[in-house]
Coordinates of all heavy atoms in Angstrom, one line a residue:
M18 N -5.2 -5.5 -10.6 CA -3.9 -5.4 -9.9 C -2.9 -6.4 -10.5 O -1.8 -6.5 -10.0 CB -4.1 -5.8 -8.4 CG -4.8 -4.7 -7.7 SD -5.1 -5.1 -6.0 CE -6.5 -4.1 -5.6
H19 N -3.4 -7.1 -11.6 CA -2.5 -8.0 -12.2 C -1.2 -7.4 -12.7 O -1.2 -6.3 -13.3 CB -3.2 -8.6 -13.4 CG -2.5 -9.7 -14.1 ND1 -2.3 -10.9 -13.6 CD2 -1.8 -9.6 -15.3 CE1 -1.5 -11.6 -14.4 NE2 -1.2 -10.8 -15.5
G20 N -0.1 -8.0 -12.3 CA 1.2 -7.5 -12.7 C 1.8 -6.5 -11.7 O 3.0 -6.1 -11.9
M21 N 1.1 -6.0 -10.8 CA 1.6 -5.1 -9.8 C 2.4 -5.8 -8.7 O 2.1 -6.9 -8.4 CB 0.5 -4.3 -9.1 CG -0.3 -3.4 -10.0 SD -1.4 -2.3 -9.1 CE -0.2 -1.1 -8.5
Q22 N 3.4 -5.1 -8.2 CA 4.1 -5.6 -7.0 C 3.7 -4.7 -5.9 O 3.7 -3.5 -6.0 CB 5.6 -5.5 -7.3 CG 6.2 -6.4 -8.3 CD 7.7 -6.4 -8.4 OE1 8.3 -5.5 -7.9 NE2 8.2 -7.4 -9.0
V23 N 3.4 -5.3 -4.8 CA 2.9 -4.6 -3.6 C 3.6 -5.1 -2.3 O 4.0 -6.3 -2.3 CB 1.4 -4.7 -3.4 CG1 0.7 -4.1 -4.6 CG2 0.9 -6.1 -3.2
C24 N 3.7 -4.2 -1.4 CA 4.3 -4.6 -0.1 C 3.5 -3.9 1.0 O 3.3 -2.7 1.0 CB 5.8 -4.2 0.0 SG 6.6 -4.7 1.5
C25 N 3.0 -4.7 1.9 CA 2.2 -4.2 3.1 C 3.2 -3.9 4.2 O 4.0 -4.8 4.6 CB 1.2 -5.2 3.5 SG 0.0 -5.6 2.2
I26 N 3.2 -2.7 4.7 CA 4.2 -2.3 5.7 C 3.5 -1.8 7.0 O 2.5 -1.0 6.9 CB 5.1 -1.2 5.2 CG1 5.9 -1.7 4.0 CG2 6.0 -0.7 6.3 CD1 6.9 -0.8 3.5
G27 N 4.0 -2.2 8.2 CA 3.5 -1.6 9.4 C 2.4 -2.4 10.0 O 2.1 -3.5 9.6
F28 N 1.7 -1.8 11.0 CA 0.7 -2.4 11.8 C -0.6 -2.4 11.0 O -1.0 -1.4 10.3 CB 0.5 -1.6 13.1 CG -0.8 -2.0 13.8 CD1 -0.7 -3.1 14.7 CD2 -1.9 -1.2 13.7 CE1 -1.9 -3.5 15.3 CE2 -3.1 -1.6 14.4 CZ -3.0 -2.7 15.2
F29 N -1.4 -3.5 11.0 CA -2.7 -3.6 10.4 C -3.6 -4.1 11.5 O -3.3 -5.0 12.2 CB -2.7 -4.5 9.2 CG -2.1 -3.9 8.0 CD1 -0.7 -3.9 7.8 CD2 -2.8 -3.3 7.0 CE1 -0.1 -3.3 6.7 CE2 -2.2 -2.7 5.9 CZ -0.9 -2.7 5.7
S30 N -4.8 -3.5 11.6 CA -5.7 -3.8 12.7 C -6.4 -5.1 12.5 O -6.3 -5.7 11.4 CB -6.8 -2.7 12.7 OG -7.6 -2.8 11.6
S31 N -7.0 -5.6 13.5 CA -7.7 -6.9 13.4 C -9.0 -6.8 12.6 O -9.5 -7.9 12.2 CB -8.1 -7.4 14.8 OG -8.9 -6.4 15.5
I32 N -9.4 -5.6 12.2 CA -10.6 -5.5 11.3 C -10.3 -6.2 10.0 O -11.1 -6.9 9.4 CB -11.0 -4.0 11.1 CG1 -11.4 -3.4 12.4 CG2 -12.0 -3.9 10.0 CD1 -11.6 -1.9 12.4
L33 N -9.1 -6.0 9.4 CA -8.6 -6.6 8.2 C -7.2 -7.0 8.4 O -6.3 -6.2 8.1 CB -8.8 -5.8 7.0 CG -8.3 -6.4 5.7 CD1 -9.2 -7.7 5.4 CD2 -8.4 -5.4 4.5
P34 N -6.9 -8.1 9.0 CA -5.5 -8.5 9.3 C -4.7 -8.5 8.0 O -5.2 -8.8 6.9 CB -5.6 -9.9 9.9 CG -7.0 -10.0 10.4 CD -7.8 -9.1 9.5
V35 N -3.4 -8.3 8.1 CA -2.5 -8.2 6.9 C -2.5 -9.5 6.1 O -2.4 -9.4 4.9 CB -1.1 -7.8 7.4 CG1 -0.4 -8.9 8.1 CG2 -0.3 -7.3 6.1
D36 N -2.7 -10.6 6.8 CA -2.7 -11.9 6.0 C -3.9 -11.9 5.1 O -3.8 -12.4 3.9 CB -2.7 -13.1 6.9 CG -1.4 -13.3 7.6 OD1 -0.4 -12.8 7.2 OD2 -1.4 -14.0 8.7
Q37 N -5.1 -11.4 5.5 CA -6.3 -11.4 4.7 C -6.1 -10.4 3.6 O -6.5 -10.6 2.4 CB -7.5 -11.1 5.5 CG -7.9 -12.2 6.4 CD -9.1 -11.8 7.2 OE1 -9.6 -10.7 7.2 NE2 -9.6 -12.8 8.0
L38 N -5.5 -9.2 3.9 CA -5.2 -8.2 2.8 C -4.3 -8.8 1.8 O -4.5 -8.6 0.6 CB -4.6 -7.0 3.5 CG -4.3 -5.8 2.5 CD1 -5.6 -5.3 1.8 CD2 -3.6 -4.7 3.3
K39 N -3.3 -9.5 2.2 CA -2.3 -10.2 1.2 C -3.1 -11.2 0.4 O -2.8 -11.3 -0.8 CB -1.2 -10.8 1.9 CG -0.2 -9.8 2.5 CD 0.9 -10.5 3.3 CE 1.9 -9.5 3.9 NZ 3.0 -10.1 4.6
T40 N -4.0 -11.9 0.9 CA -4.7 -12.9 0.2 C -5.6 -12.2 -0.9 O -5.6 -12.7 -2.0 CB -5.6 -13.8 1.1 OG1 -4.8 -14.5 2.0 CG2 -6.5 -14.7 0.3
I41 N -6.2 -11.1 -0.5 CA -7.0 -10.4 -1.5 C -6.1 -9.9 -2.6 O -6.5 -10.0 -3.8 CB -7.7 -9.2 -0.8 CG1 -8.8 -9.7 0.2 CG2 -8.3 -8.2 -1.8 CD1 -9.3 -8.6 1.1
L42 N -5.0 -9.3 -2.3 CA -4.0 -8.8 -3.3 C -3.6 -9.9 -4.2 O -3.6 -9.8 -5.5 CB -2.8 -8.2 -2.6 CG -3.1 -6.9 -1.9 CD1 -2.0 -6.5 -0.9 CD2 -3.3 -5.7 -3.0
C43 N -3.3 -11.1 -3.7 CA -2.9 -12.2 -4.5 C -4.0 -12.7 -5.4 O -3.8 -13.0 -6.6 CB -2.4 -13.4 -3.7 SG -0.7 -13.1 -2.9
D44 N -5.2 -12.8 -4.8 CA -6.4 -13.2 -5.6 C -6.7 -12.3 -6.8 O -7.2 -12.7 -7.8 CB -7.6 -13.3 -4.7 CG -7.5 -14.5 -3.8 OD1 -6.7 -15.4 -3.9 OD2 -8.4 -14.5 -2.8
C45 N -6.2 -11.0 -6.6 CA -6.5 -10.0 -7.7 C -5.3 -9.9 -8.7 O -5.2 -9.1 -9.5 CB -6.7 -8.6 -7.1 SG -8.3 -8.5 -6.2
G46 N -4.3 -10.8 -8.5 CA -3.2 -10.9 -9.4 C -1.9 -10.1 -9.1 O -1.0 -10.1 -9.9
A47 N -1.9 -9.5 -7.9 CA -0.7 -8.8 -7.5 C 0.3 -9.7 -7.0 O 0.0 -10.8 -6.4 CB -1.0 -7.7 -6.5
T48 N 1.6 -9.3 -7.1 CA 2.7 -10.1 -6.4 C 2.9 -9.4 -5.1 O 3.3 -8.2 -5.1 CB 4.0 -10.0 -7.3 OG1 3.7 -10.7 -8.5 CG2 5.1 -10.8 -6.6
V49 N 2.8 -10.1 -4.0 CA 3.0 -9.5 -2.7 C 4.4 -9.8 -2.2 O 4.8 -11.0 -2.1 CB 1.9 -10.1 -1.7 CG1 2.1 -9.5 -0.3 CG2 0.5 -9.8 -2.2
L50 N 5.1 -8.8 -1.9 CA 6.5 -8.9 -1.4 C 6.5 -8.7 0.1 O 5.7 -8.0 0.7 CB 7.4 -7.9 -2.1 CG 7.3 -7.8 -3.6 CD1 8.1 -6.7 -4.1 CD2 7.7 -9.1 -4.2
S51 N 7.5 -9.4 0.8 CA 7.6 -9.3 2.2 C 8.4 -8.1 2.7 O 8.3 -7.7 3.8 CB 8.2 -10.6 2.8 OG 9.4 -10.8 2.3
S52 N 9.1 -7.5 1.7 CA 10.0 -6.3 2.1 C 10.1 -5.4 0.9 O 10.2 -5.9 -0.3 CB 11.4 -6.8 2.5 OG 12.3 -5.7 2.6
P53 N 10.1 -4.1 1.1 CA 10.3 -3.2 0.0 C 11.6 -3.4 -0.8 O 11.7 -3.1 -2.0 CB 10.3 -1.8 0.6 CG 9.7 -2.0 1.9 CD 10.0 -3.4 2.4
S54 N 12.6 -4.0 -0.2 CA 13.9 -4.2 -0.8 C 13.7 -5.3 -1.9 O 14.6 -5.4 -2.8 CB 14.9 -4.6 0.2 OG 14.6 -5.8 0.8
E55 N 12.6 -6.0 -2.0 CA 12.4 -7.0 -3.0 C 11.8 -6.5 -4.3 O 11.7 -7.2 -5.3 CB 11.5 -8.1 -2.4 CG 12.0 -8.9 -1.3 CD 11.0 -9.9 -0.7 OE1 10.0 -10.1 -1.3 OE2 11.3 -10.4 0.4
F56 N 11.4 -5.2 -4.3 CA 10.9 -4.6 -5.5 C 11.9 -4.7 -6.6 O 13.1 -4.4 -6.4 CB 10.5 -3.2 -5.4 CG 9.2 -3.0 -4.6 CD1 9.1 -2.5 -3.4 CD2 8.0 -3.3 -5.3 CE1 7.9 -2.3 -2.7 CE2 6.8 -3.2 -4.6 CZ 6.8 -2.7 -3.3
S57 N 11.5 -5.1 -7.8 CA 12.4 -5.2 -9.0 C 12.5 -3.8 -9.6 O 11.6 -3.0 -9.5 CB 12.0 -6.2 -10.0 OG 10.8 -5.8 -10.6
Q58 N 13.6 -3.6 -10.3 CA 13.8 -2.3 -11.0 C 12.7 -2.2 -12.1 O 12.3 -1.0 -12.4 CB 15.2 -2.3 -11.7 CG 16.3 -2.3 -10.7 CD 16.3 -1.0 -9.8 OE1 15.7 0.0 -10.1 NE2 17.1 -1.1 -8.7
Q59 N 12.3 -3.3 -12.7 CA 11.3 -3.2 -13.7 C 9.9 -2.9 -13.2 O 9.0 -2.6 -14.0 CB 11.2 -4.6 -14.5 CG 12.5 -5.0 -15.1 CD 13.4 -5.7 -14.2 OE1 13.1 -6.0 -13.0 NE2 14.6 -6.0 -14.7
S60 N 9.7 -2.8 -11.9 CA 8.4 -2.6 -11.3 C 8.0 -1.2 -11.2 O 6.8 -0.9 -10.9 CB 8.3 -3.3 -9.9 OG 9.1 -2.6 -9.0
A61 N 8.9 -0.3 -11.6 CA 8.5 1.2 -11.5 C 7.2 1.4 -12.2 O 7.0 1.0 -13.3 CB 9.7 2.0 -12.0
G62 N 6.3 2.2 -11.6 CA 5.0 2.5 -12.2 C 4.0 1.4 -11.9 O 2.8 1.6 -12.0
Q63 N 4.4 0.2 -11.5 CA 3.5 -0.9 -11.1 C 3.8 -1.4 -9.7 O 3.6 -2.6 -9.5 CB 3.6 -2.0 -12.2 CG 3.1 -1.5 -13.5 CD 3.1 -2.7 -14.5 OE1 3.5 -3.8 -14.2 NE2 2.6 -2.5 -15.7
A64 N 4.4 -0.6 -8.9 CA 4.7 -1.0 -7.5 C 4.1 0.0 -6.6 O 4.1 1.2 -6.8 CB 6.2 -1.1 -7.4
V65 N 3.7 -0.5 -5.4 CA 3.1 0.4 -4.4 C 3.3 -0.2 -3.0 O 3.4 -1.4 -2.8 CB 1.6 0.6 -4.7 CG1 0.8 -0.7 -4.6 CG2 1.0 1.6 -3.8
L66 N 3.5 0.7 -2.1 CA 3.6 0.3 -0.7 C 2.3 0.6 0.0 O 1.7 1.6 -0.2 CB 4.7 1.1 0.0 CG 6.1 1.0 -0.5 CD1 7.0 2.0 0.1 CD2 6.6 -0.4 -0.1
I67 N 1.7 -0.4 0.7 CA 0.4 -0.3 1.3 C 0.6 -0.2 2.9 O 1.3 -1.0 3.5 CB -0.5 -1.4 0.9 CG1 -0.6 -1.4 -0.6 CG2 -1.8 -1.3 1.6 CD1 -1.3 -2.7 -1.1
V68 N -0.1 0.8 3.5 CA -0.1 1.0 4.9 C -1.5 1.1 5.4 O -2.4 1.4 4.6 CB 0.8 2.2 5.3 CG1 2.2 2.0 4.9 CG2 0.2 3.5 4.8
E69 N -1.7 1.0 6.7 CA -3.0 1.3 7.3 C -2.8 2.6 8.0 O -2.1 2.7 9.0 CB -3.5 0.2 8.3 CG -4.8 0.6 8.8 CD -5.4 -0.5 9.7 OE1 -5.2 -1.7 9.4 OE2 -6.0 -0.2 10.7
A70 N -3.4 3.6 7.5 CA -3.2 5.0 8.0 C -4.5 5.3 8.8 O -5.4 5.8 8.3 CB -3.0 6.0 7.0
T71 N -4.4 5.1 10.1 CA -5.5 5.5 11.0 C -4.9 6.3 12.1 O -3.7 6.5 12.2 CB -6.2 4.2 11.7 OG1 -5.2 3.6 12.5 CG2 -6.7 3.3 10.6
D72 N -5.8 6.9 12.9 CA -5.3 7.7 14.0 C -4.3 7.0 14.9 O -3.4 7.6 15.5 CB -6.5 8.3 14.8 CG -7.3 9.3 14.1 OD1 -6.8 9.8 13.1 OD2 -8.5 9.5 14.4
R73 N -4.5 5.7 15.1 CA -3.7 4.9 15.9 C -2.3 4.5 15.3 O -1.4 4.3 16.0 CB -4.4 3.6 16.3 CG -5.5 3.7 17.3 CD -6.1 2.4 17.7 NE -5.1 1.3 17.6 CZ -5.4 0.1 17.7 NH1 -6.7 -0.3 17.7 NH2 -4.5 -0.9 17.6
T74 N -2.3 4.5 14.0 CA -1.1 4.0 13.3 C -0.4 5.1 12.5 O 0.6 4.9 11.9 CB -1.4 2.9 12.3 OG1 -2.3 3.5 11.3 CG2 -2.1 1.7 12.9
V75 N -0.9 6.4 12.6 CA -0.3 7.4 11.8 C 1.1 7.8 12.3 O 1.3 8.2 13.4 CB -1.2 8.7 11.8 CG1 -0.5 9.8 11.1 CG2 -2.5 8.3 11.0
H76 N 2.1 7.7 11.4 CA 3.4 8.1 11.7 C 3.9 8.8 10.3 O 4.6 8.1 9.5 CB 4.3 7.0 12.1 CG 3.9 6.3 13.3 ND1 4.1 6.9 14.6 CD2 3.2 5.2 13.5 CE1 3.6 6.1 15.5 NE2 3.1 5.0 14.9
W77 N 3.4 10.0 10.1 CA 3.6 10.6 8.8 C 5.1 10.7 8.4 O 5.4 10.5 7.2 CB 3.0 12.0 8.8 CG 1.5 12.0 9.1 CD1 0.9 12.5 10.2 CD2 0.5 11.3 8.3 NE1 -0.4 12.3 10.1 CE2 -0.7 11.5 9.0 CE3 0.5 10.5 7.2 CZ2 -1.9 11.0 8.6 CZ3 -0.7 10.0 6.7 CH2 -1.9 10.3 7.4
Q78 N 6.0 10.9 9.4 CA 7.4 10.9 9.1 C 7.9 9.6 8.5 O 8.7 9.5 7.6 CB 8.2 11.3 10.3 CG 7.9 12.6 10.9 CD 6.7 12.5 11.9 OE1 6.0 11.5 12.1 NE2 6.5 13.6 12.6
D79 N 7.3 8.5 9.0 CA 7.7 7.2 8.5 C 7.2 7.0 7.1 O 8.0 6.4 6.2 CB 7.1 6.1 9.4 CG 7.6 6.0 10.8 OD1 8.7 6.6 11.0 OD2 7.0 5.4 11.7
F80 N 6.0 7.5 6.8 CA 5.5 7.4 5.4 C 6.4 8.2 4.4 O 6.7 7.7 3.3 CB 4.1 7.8 5.3 CG 3.1 7.0 6.2 CD1 1.9 7.5 6.6 CD2 3.4 5.7 6.5 CE1 1.0 6.8 7.3 CE2 2.5 5.0 7.3 CZ 1.3 5.5 7.7
Q81 N 6.8 9.4 4.9 CA 7.6 10.2 4.1 C 9.0 9.6 3.8 O 9.5 9.6 2.7 CB 7.8 11.6 4.7 CG 6.5 12.4 4.7 CD 6.6 13.6 5.6 OE1 7.6 13.9 6.2 NE2 5.5 14.4 5.6
A82 N 9.5 9.0 4.9 CA 10.8 8.3 4.8 C 10.7 7.1 3.8 O 11.6 6.9 3.0 CB 11.3 7.8 6.1
L83 N 9.6 6.4 3.8 CA 9.4 5.3 2.9 C 9.4 5.8 1.4 O 10.0 5.2 0.5 CB 8.1 4.5 3.2 CG 8.1 3.6 4.4 CD1 6.7 3.2 4.7 CD2 9.0 2.4 4.2
Y84 N 8.6 6.8 1.2 CA 8.6 7.4 -0.1 C 9.9 7.8 -0.6 O 10.3 7.5 -1.7 CB 7.6 8.6 -0.2 CG 7.6 9.3 -1.5 CD1 6.9 8.7 -2.6 CD2 8.3 10.4 -1.7 CE1 7.0 9.3 -3.8 CE2 8.4 11.0 -3.0 CZ 7.7 10.5 -4.0 OH 7.8 11.1 -5.3
K85 N 10.7 8.5 0.2 CA 12.0 9.0 -0.1 C 13.0 7.9 -0.4 O 13.8 7.9 -1.3 CB 12.5 10.0 0.9 CG 11.8 11.3 1.0 CD 12.4 12.2 2.1 CE 11.6 13.5 2.1 NZ 12.0 14.4 3.2
K86 N 12.9 6.9 0.4 CA 13.8 5.7 0.3 C 13.6 4.9 -1.0 O 14.5 4.5 -1.7 CB 13.8 4.8 1.5 CG 14.8 3.7 1.4 CD 14.8 2.9 2.7 CE 15.9 1.9 2.7 NZ 16.0 1.2 4.0
Y87 N 12.3 4.6 -1.3 CA 12.0 3.7 -2.4 C 11.4 4.4 -3.6 O 11.2 3.8 -4.6 CB 11.0 2.7 -1.9 CG 11.6 1.8 -0.8 CD1 11.3 2.0 0.5 CD2 12.6 0.9 -1.1 CE1 11.8 1.2 1.5 CE2 13.2 0.1 -0.1 CZ 12.8 0.3 1.2 OH 13.4 -0.5 2.2
S88 N 11.1 5.7 -3.5 CA 10.5 6.5 -4.6 C 9.2 5.7 -5.2 O 9.1 5.6 -6.4 CB 11.5 6.7 -5.7 OG 12.5 7.5 -5.2
L89 N 8.4 5.2 -4.3 CA 7.2 4.5 -4.6 C 6.0 5.1 -3.9 O 6.2 5.6 -2.8 CB 7.3 3.0 -4.2 CG 8.4 2.2 -4.9 CD1 8.5 0.8 -4.3 CD2 8.1 2.0 -6.4
P90 N 4.9 5.0 -4.5 CA 3.7 5.5 -3.8 C 3.4 4.8 -2.5 O 3.6 3.5 -2.5 CB 2.5 5.2 -4.8 CG 3.2 4.9 -6.1 CD 4.6 4.4 -5.8
V91 N 3.0 5.5 -1.5 CA 2.7 4.9 -0.2 C 1.2 5.2 0.0 O 0.8 6.4 0.1 CB 3.5 5.5 0.9 CG1 3.1 4.9 2.3 CG2 5.0 5.3 0.7
V92 N 0.4 4.2 -0.1 CA -1.1 4.4 -0.1 C -1.7 3.7 1.1 O -1.2 2.7 1.6 CB -1.8 4.0 -1.4 CG1 -1.2 4.8 -2.6 CG2 -1.6 2.5 -1.7
N93 N -2.9 4.2 1.5 CA -3.7 3.6 2.5 C -4.3 2.3 2.0 O -4.7 2.2 0.8 CB -4.8 4.6 2.9 CG -5.5 4.2 4.2 OD1 -5.7 3.0 4.5 ND2 -5.9 5.2 4.9
R94 N -4.5 1.3 2.9 CA -5.1 0.0 2.5 C -6.5 0.2 1.9 O -7.0 -0.7 1.1 CB -5.1 -0.9 3.6 CG -6.1 -0.5 4.7 CD -6.8 -1.6 5.4 NE -7.8 -0.9 6.2 CZ -8.3 -1.5 7.2 NH1 -8.0 -2.7 7.5 NH2 -9.2 -0.8 7.9
Q95 N -7.1 1.3 2.1 CA -8.5 1.5 1.5 C -8.4 1.5 0.0 O -9.4 1.2 -0.6 CB -9.0 2.9 2.1 CG -10.5 3.0 1.8 CD -11.4 2.0 2.5 OE1 -11.1 1.6 3.6 NE2 -12.4 1.5 1.8
W96 N -7.3 1.8 -0.6 CA -7.1 1.7 -2.0 C -7.4 0.3 -2.5 O -8.1 0.2 -3.5 CB -5.7 2.2 -2.4 CG -5.4 1.9 -3.9 CD1 -5.8 2.7 -4.9 CD2 -4.6 0.8 -4.4 NE1 -5.3 2.1 -6.1 CE2 -4.6 1.0 -5.8 CE3 -4.0 -0.3 -3.8 CZ2 -3.9 0.1 -6.6 CZ3 -3.3 -1.1 -4.7 CH2 -3.3 -1.0 -6.0
V97 N -6.9 -0.7 -1.8 CA -7.2 -2.1 -2.2 C -8.6 -2.4 -2.1 O -9.3 -2.9 -3.0 CB -6.4 -3.0 -1.3 CG1 -6.7 -4.5 -1.6 CG2 -4.9 -2.8 -1.4
L98 N -9.2 -2.0 -1.0 CA -10.7 -2.3 -0.8 C -11.6 -1.6 -1.8 O -12.5 -2.3 -2.3 CB -11.1 -2.0 0.7 CG -10.2 -2.7 1.8 CD1 -10.7 -2.1 3.2 CD2 -10.4 -4.2 1.7
D99 N -11.3 -0.4 -2.0 CA -12.1 0.4 -3.0 C -11.9 -0.2 -4.4 O -12.8 -0.3 -5.2 CB -11.8 1.9 -3.0 CG -12.3 2.5 -1.7 OD1 -13.1 1.9 -0.9 OD2 -11.9 3.7 -1.4
S100 N -10.7 -0.5 -4.8 CA -10.4 -1.1 -6.1 C -11.1 -2.4 -6.3 O -11.7 -2.7 -7.3 CB -8.9 -1.3 -6.3 OG -8.2 -0.1 -6.3
V101 N -11.1 -3.3 -5.3 CA -11.8 -4.6 -5.3 C -13.3 -4.3 -5.4 O -14.0 -4.9 -6.2 CB -11.5 -5.4 -4.1 CG1 -12.4 -6.7 -4.1 CG2 -10.0 -5.9 -4.2
A102 N -13.8 -3.4 -4.6 CA -15.3 -3.2 -4.5 C -15.8 -2.6 -5.9 O -17.0 -2.9 -6.2 CB -15.6 -2.2 -3.4
T103 N -15.0 -1.9 -6.6 CA -15.5 -1.3 -7.8 C -15.0 -2.0 -9.1 O -15.3 -1.6 -10.2 CB -15.0 0.2 -7.9 OG1 -13.6 0.2 -7.9 CG2 -15.5 1.0 -6.8
Y104 N -14.2 -3.1 -8.9 CA -13.7 -3.9 -10.0 C -12.9 -3.0 -10.9 O -12.8 -3.3 -12.1 CB -14.8 -4.6 -10.8 CG -15.6 -5.6 -10.0 CD1 -16.9 -5.2 -9.5 CD2 -15.1 -6.8 -9.8 CE1 -17.6 -6.1 -8.8 CE2 -15.9 -7.8 -9.0 CZ -17.1 -7.4 -8.5 OH -17.9 -8.3 -7.8
C105 N -12.2 -2.0 -10.3 CA -11.4 -1.1 -11.2 C -10.4 -0.5 -10.3 O -10.6 0.0 -9.2 CB -12.3 0.0 -11.7 SG -11.5 1.2 -12.8
L106 N -9.1 -0.5 -10.7 CA -8.0 0.2 -10.0 C -8.4 1.6 -9.8 O -8.6 2.4 -10.7 CB -6.7 0.1 -10.7 CG -6.0 -1.3 -10.6 CD1 -4.7 -1.3 -11.4 CD2 -5.8 -1.8 -9.2
Q107 N -8.3 2.1 -8.5 CA -8.6 3.5 -8.2 C -7.3 4.3 -8.3 O -6.2 3.7 -8.2 CB -9.1 3.6 -6.8 CG -10.5 2.8 -6.6 CD -11.5 3.4 -7.5 OE1 -11.9 4.6 -7.4 NE2 -12.1 2.5 -8.4
P108 N -7.4 5.6 -8.6 CA -6.2 6.4 -8.7 C -5.4 6.4 -7.4 O -6.0 6.6 -6.4 CB -6.7 7.8 -9.0 CG -8.1 7.6 -9.5 CD -8.6 6.3 -8.8
L109 N -4.1 6.1 -7.5 CA -3.3 6.1 -6.3 C -3.2 7.4 -5.6 O -3.2 7.4 -4.4 CB -1.9 5.6 -6.7 CG -1.7 4.2 -7.2 CD1 -0.3 4.0 -7.6 CD2 -2.1 3.2 -6.1
D110 N -3.3 8.5 -6.3 CA -3.2 9.8 -5.7 C -4.3 10.1 -4.7 O -4.1 10.8 -3.7 CB -3.3 10.9 -6.8 CG -2.0 11.0 -7.6 OD1 -1.0 10.4 -7.2 OD2 -2.1 11.6 -8.7
N111 N -5.5 9.4 -4.9 CA -6.6 9.6 -4.0 C -6.4 9.0 -2.6 O -7.1 9.2 -1.7 CB -7.9 9.1 -4.6 CG -8.3 9.9 -5.8 OD1 -7.8 10.9 -6.1 ND2 -9.3 9.3 -6.5
Y112 N -5.4 8.1 -2.5 CA -5.1 7.3 -1.3 C -3.7 7.5 -0.8 O -3.3 6.8 0.1 CB -5.4 5.8 -1.6 CG -6.8 5.5 -2.1 CD1 -7.1 5.6 -3.4 CD2 -7.8 5.2 -1.1 CE1 -8.4 5.4 -3.8 CE2 -9.1 5.0 -1.6 CZ -9.4 5.1 -2.9 OH -10.7 4.9 -3.3
D113 N -3.0 8.5 -1.4 CA -1.6 8.7 -1.0 C -1.5 9.3 0.4 O -2.2 10.2 0.8 CB -1.0 9.8 -2.0 CG 0.4 10.0 -1.9 OD1 1.0 9.5 -0.9 OD2 1.0 10.5 -2.8
V114 N -0.7 8.7 1.3 CA -0.6 9.1 2.7 C 0.7 10.0 2.8 O 0.9 10.4 3.9 CB -0.5 7.9 3.6 CG1 -1.9 7.2 3.6 CG2 0.6 7.0 3.4
N115 N 1.4 10.2 1.8 CA 2.6 11.0 1.9 C 2.3 12.4 1.4 O 2.4 12.7 0.2 CB 3.8 10.4 1.0 CG 5.0 11.2 1.1 OD1 5.3 11.7 2.2 ND2 5.7 11.2 0.0
Y116 N 2.0 13.3 2.3 CA 1.5 14.6 1.9 C 2.5 15.6 1.5 O 2.2 16.6 0.9 CB 0.7 15.2 3.1 CG -0.5 14.4 3.4 CD1 -0.7 13.7 4.6 CD2 -1.6 14.3 2.5 CE1 -1.8 13.0 4.9 CE2 -2.7 13.5 2.8 CZ -2.8 12.9 4.0 OH -3.9 12.1 4.2
S117 N 3.8 15.3 1.7 CA 4.8 16.3 1.3 C 5.9 15.6 0.6 O 7.0 15.4 1.1 CB 5.4 17.0 2.6 OG 6.0 16.0 3.4
K118 N 5.7 15.3 -0.7 CA 6.6 14.6 -1.5 C 7.8 15.5 -1.9 O 7.7 16.6 -2.1 CB 6.0 14.1 -2.8 CG 5.1 13.0 -2.5 CD 4.5 12.5 -3.8 CE 3.5 11.4 -3.6 NZ 2.9 10.9 -4.8

């Protein structure tokens, strides 16, 4: 995740609070932003929005709006966990929560 810019958006459960997720991301070399508006123009291709997409938090219209507004991948937090667990960045497409780009 070294060199990536990431932003965690929305509700995150107590199973993995957002502060712990941000710590994991930082420890893996990512730059964690507090708002999507902080993404730099140079970050295209190395920027991602992270959400927790569960039955309780699913608001697909919100995810689609984020994608349209920022033109960045919107992925489930499981992408972070799987990437860390395998020591290899997983394909973003496998964790994309925006089903109608």
Side-chain angles (χ1 to χ4, degrees):
M18 291 180 204
H19 182 74
M21 292 189 77
Q22 291 186 347
V23 298
C24 182
C25 301
I26 297 189
F28 171 81
F29 285 81
S30 69
S31 61
I32 295 171
L33 180 64
V35 71
D36 290 341
Q37 288 180 355
L38 181 61
K39 289 178 180 180
T40 299
I41 291 169
L42 289 161
C43 288
D44 289 348
C45 291
T48 300
V49 179
L50 307 175
S51 59
S52 168
S54 62
E55 296 176 8
F56 282 109
S57 69
Q58 296 295 343
Q59 299 86 3
S60 67
Q63 295 187 356
V65 65
L66 298 169
I67 300 171
V68 299
E69 182 176 324
T71 65
D72 291 341
R73 287 185 26 198
T74 63
V75 170
H76 300 284
W77 303 115
Q78 301 86 351
D79 294 342
F80 299 157
Q81 291 169 0
L83 286 169
Y84 174 78
K85 288 178 183 177
K86 182 172 184 177
Y87 297 105
S88 297
L89 295 172
V91 181
V92 297
N93 193 328
R94 67 148 187 196
Q95 194 62 42
W96 171 79
V97 176
L98 302 177
D99 290 350
S100 294
V101 170
T103 60
Y104 298 100
C105 182
L106 285 178
Q107 298 300 301
L109 294 174
D110 289 345
N111 295 349
Y112 301 87
D113 191 344
V114 296
N115 182 35
Y116 295 116
S117 62
K118 290 182 182 176

